Amino acid sequence: MAKLLSRSTFPHLPQFPERVIQFGEGNFMRAFVDWQLHQMNKQNLFNGSAVLVQPIERGLADMLAEQDQLYTILLKGIENGDTVDSDEIITSVSRCLNPYTDYDAFLALAEQDELEFITSNTTEAGITYDPADQLNDAPPRSFPAKLTTLLHARYKLGKAGFTIIPCELIDRNGEKLKEIVLKYADVWQLGEGFVTWLEQENTFCCSLVDRIVPGYPRDTAAEVEAQLGYHDKLMVMAEPFLFWVIEGPSSLKARLPLAEAGLNVVVTDDMTPYRERKVHLLNGPHTAMVPLALLAGLQTVEDVMRDDTFSLFVQRLIDEELIPMLDLPQEQLQAYAKAVQERFCNPFVRHELTSISLNSISKFKARLLPILLRYEATKKQLPSLLTLAFATLLHSYRGDVISRQDGDDVIAIFDEAWSNPSPIQVLLSNSTLWGMDLTSLPNLVTNIEAHITNLVQLGSRKVLQQQLQVEV
């Protein structure tokens, strides 16, 4: 068996001082933020590494340590009409801390003057306020509470603040994170001095990330490792395409010279147009297709796009229900949508539907519910394909349909609702899930109930074919 990737295997790989704290050690952040840090380092533009913080109790800290924080990024796809098939060992991660086993090491990050940036990706459900969190917890449960304890420790040392760039895919992520941190500061009675320091010494940027990262290439790992000549438990496959929009001060361009390194990064004072386009036209179709396709036995995004019925669903969803609801030039939207569908068809990337299904409820709320609400308010009727996708999502969370990958609190809500004689009424009225009572939308309950009855009787493919009015 080939040797495990480590610095003993590759003793001449460079190391860099820690300049970034990164909450989240999963596939996406390692293939997105850390890959970009690596590109800047190669051009002598940054000279910095990221210290990762494991946001939940179970994570990859031990595996990363076993490989001396090294891992391989495999870029595969089509870029500007050319085939990209590359591999690269990433050297921009210094270490990974688990605050659940070494909380003191986590708080000690506050002492390091060279640390100036904080990034995060703790999923859409990660930027939330948990009233159970307390300052003296070691550690608090939620990411914002952990961040507050770290910032407070930094403040007490009288040191400079951070530029904080969350990558969670929720609207105005930086503003919402700051709002929750300030709430903890108030509830925990951390004092006016801390609040003033938060406001004056720290910059919370909103951001938008775009790169499809399928993750570990399970089906081809042995073949890839034979070509690489080493064993890598943490290699990550990603598409070549990358886009990062950061809403922040123009001075950030020099301090974090991503664009100077040739990376597709925009620092702007208004990211709204970029966000709406990406969230609704790339992430939205992902979330809509997953439950329908999984119930039909499909496994990957490419499977969906190679299937006549499901690719037609994606096309019509985008053209008839998503694009008309976006307040951007239609030609730009159509061009972007075409590029998205080409990326969905990437033959080099096996993008598992099950990986996209993680936390599908919060994803639907962020990516598709605003479109559903806008469509109903504008046209005074429900969007038929989006409503079917919503019904299939609720049906898939019954517990005996497909594997549910979500928080225990969300699954508990669904388990309780599905034991009720009127489960859809109960679920749609739950403002914890949706931020509002959706039973007020005309015909939504009855439409979803009818769809679920059909899904049980006919299966998702036949129901979808009927909805699309195509030949069975």
Side-chain angles (χ1 to χ4, degrees):
M1 185 177 180
K3 289 184 178 180
L4 183 68
L5 174 61
S6 68
R7 289 194 175 273
S8 61
T9 312
F10 295 90
H12 302 299
L13 291 175
Q15 299 186 61
F16 302 93
E18 294 176 345
R19 295 186 61 192
V20 180
I21 301 171
Q22 177 177 301
F23 287 84
E25 82 292 16
N27 291 327
F28 179 80
M29 290 296 274
R30 289 188 291 116
F32 189 79
V33 171
D34 303 325
W35 181 86
Q36 292 183 78
L37 298 181
H38 181 84
Q39 306 311 310
M40 289 193 295
N41 286 339
K42 286 197 303 181
Q43 300 177 52
N44 299 314
L45 292 172
F46 189 65
N47 188 39
S49 65
V51 50
L52 312 189
V53 177
Q54 188 173 295
I56 58 176
E57 195 161 0
R58 293 183 180 181
L60 300 176
D62 291 341
M63 289 179 66
L64 279 162
E66 189 180 6
Q67 297 189 181
D68 296 327
Q69 326 303 327
L70 301 175
Y71 60 93
T72 311
I73 292 294
L74 310 168
L75 295 186
K76 295 182 180 290
I78 308 296
E79 188 174 41
N80 299 323
D82 298 323
T83 298
V84 176
D85 187 357
S86 68
D87 59 81
E88 187 172 26
I89 296 174
I90 304 303
T91 58
S92 57
V93 174
S94 61
R95 56 191 169 125
C96 183
L97 299 177
N98 182 353
Y100 293 86
T101 58
D102 194 350
Y103 188 56
D104 289 341
F106 167 68
L107 288 182
L109 294 174
E111 302 170 9
Q112 296 181 224
D113 291 321
E114 298 81 5
L115 289 169
E116 54 180 315
F117 300 99
I118 295 177
T119 63
S120 67
N121 191 348
T122 54
T123 78
E124 283 90 332
I127 300 184
T128 55
Y129 175 76
D130 187 341
D133 280 330
Q134 300 298 322
L135 178 63
N136 57 2
D137 290 343
R141 178 184 173 187
S142 72
F143 156 55
K146 291 186 185 73
L147 176 61
T148 305
T149 61
L150 179 64
L151 294 173
H152 188 244
R154 183 84 159 188
Y155 159 73
K156 290 194 296 182
L157 292 169
K159 295 184 180 294
F162 298 96
T163 297
I164 301 164
I165 314 174
C167 297
E168 287 84 354
L169 204 67
I170 61 173
D171 191 18
R172 313 302 302 168
N173 48 21
E175 291 176 2
K176 291 184 178 177
L177 180 58
K178 180 180 180 180
E179 178 184 320
I180 297 172
V181 169
L182 288 170
K183 185 171 183 177
Y184 280 118
D186 178 48
V187 172
W188 292 349
Q189 299 181 340
L190 299 181
E192 292 183 7
F194 175 57
V195 171
T196 300
W197 179 86
L198 274 175
E199 296 280 5
Q200 296 181 353
E201 296 292 327
N202 297 271
T203 302
F204 287 77
C205 301
C206 295
S207 88
L208 171 71
V209 299
D210 191 355
R211 171 172 258 181
I212 295 174
V213 180
Y216 183 79
R218 289 179 295 174
D219 292 347
T220 60
E223 177 185 342
V224 171
E225 289 185 339
Q227 295 172 351
L228 294 175
Y230 56 82
H231 179 47
D232 183 355
K233 301 177 183 178
L234 292 165
M235 59 181 163
V236 181
M237 184 183 293
E239 66 170 345
F241 180 89
L242 174 146
F243 189 39
W244 195 5
V245 183
I246 303 172
E247 188 177 284
S250 59
S251 60
L252 189 59
K253 298 175 186 178
R255 294 177 53 232
L256 196 63
L258 296 157
E260 186 180 345
L263 302 171
N264 191 17
V265 178
V266 172
V267 176
T268 178
D269 59 1
D270 183 11
M271 60 171 279
T272 304
Y274 299 103
R275 182 193 180 276
E276 288 213 341
R277 186 182 69 177
K278 190 262 180 174
V279 169
H280 298 316
L281 293 185
L282 187 145
N283 302 112
H286 264 163
T287 298
M289 72 172 69
V290 164
L292 281 160
L294 285 175
L295 287 174
L298 303 183
Q299 297 181 356
T300 69
V301 174
E302 187 185 5
D303 289 344
V304 170
M305 300 307 293
R306 302 299 180 194
D307 185 291
D308 289 344
T309 298
F310 282 85
S311 62
L312 181 60
F313 164 73
V314 173
Q315 181 72 55
R316 287 193 185 173
L317 177 72
I318 290 173
D319 289 346
E320 299 172 10
E321 298 183 2
L322 301 183
I323 285 180
M325 293 299 108
L326 298 179
D327 188 20
L328 291 168
Q330 294 295 294
E331 288 185 4
Q332 290 183 21
L333 292 171
Q334 289 165 0
Y336 181 78
K338 181 180 178 181
V340 162
Q341 290 173 80
E342 289 176 349
R343 292 165 66 192
F344 284 174
C345 293
N346 186 346
F348 299 96
V349 172
R350 183 176 175 82
H351 200 174
E352 299 277 353
L353 297 172
T354 53
S355 69
I356 302 173
S357 71
L358 178 67
N359 296 322
S360 283
I361 299 303
S362 62
K363 286 177 177 176
F364 187 93
K365 178 186 175 184
R367 301 171 175 183
L368 292 171
L369 183 57
I371 297 291
L372 188 150
L373 295 172
R374 200 175 304 167
Y375 191 103
E376 196 282 330
T378 302
K379 297 183 176 288
K380 306 304 178 186
Q381 65 183 50
L382 295 170
S384 60
L385 297 177
L386 193 46
T387 303
L388 173 58
F390 193 13
T392 311
L393 174 61
L394 298 182
H395 173 60
S396 73
Y397 267 61
R398 291 179 86 143
D400 57 353
V401 179
I402 59 176
S403 177
R404 300 173 296 180
Q405 299 188 84
D406 218 311
D408 292 341
D409 52 344
V410 172
I411 290 175
I413 289 172
F414 274 86
D415 286 343
E416 182 178 354
W418 280 110
S419 66
N420 189 283
S422 304
I424 302 307
Q425 184 80 27
V426 172
L427 287 170
L428 293 183
S429 66
N430 191 310
S431 59
T432 299
L433 295 177
W434 320 115
M436 61 180 294
D437 181 352
L438 293 178
T439 61
S440 60
L441 285 183
N443 303 315
L444 184 61
V445 172
T446 55
N447 268 261
I448 287 182
E449 288 175 341
H451 281 316
I452 290 177
T453 298
N454 287 334
L455 287 165
V456 172
Q457 294 176 351
L458 303 174
S460 65
R461 180 177 292 277
K462 287 187 177 179
V463 170
L464 188 54
Q465 288 171 334
Q466 288 181 355
Q467 192 70 52
L468 294 169
Q469 296 182 329
V470 298
E471 292 185 8
V472 179

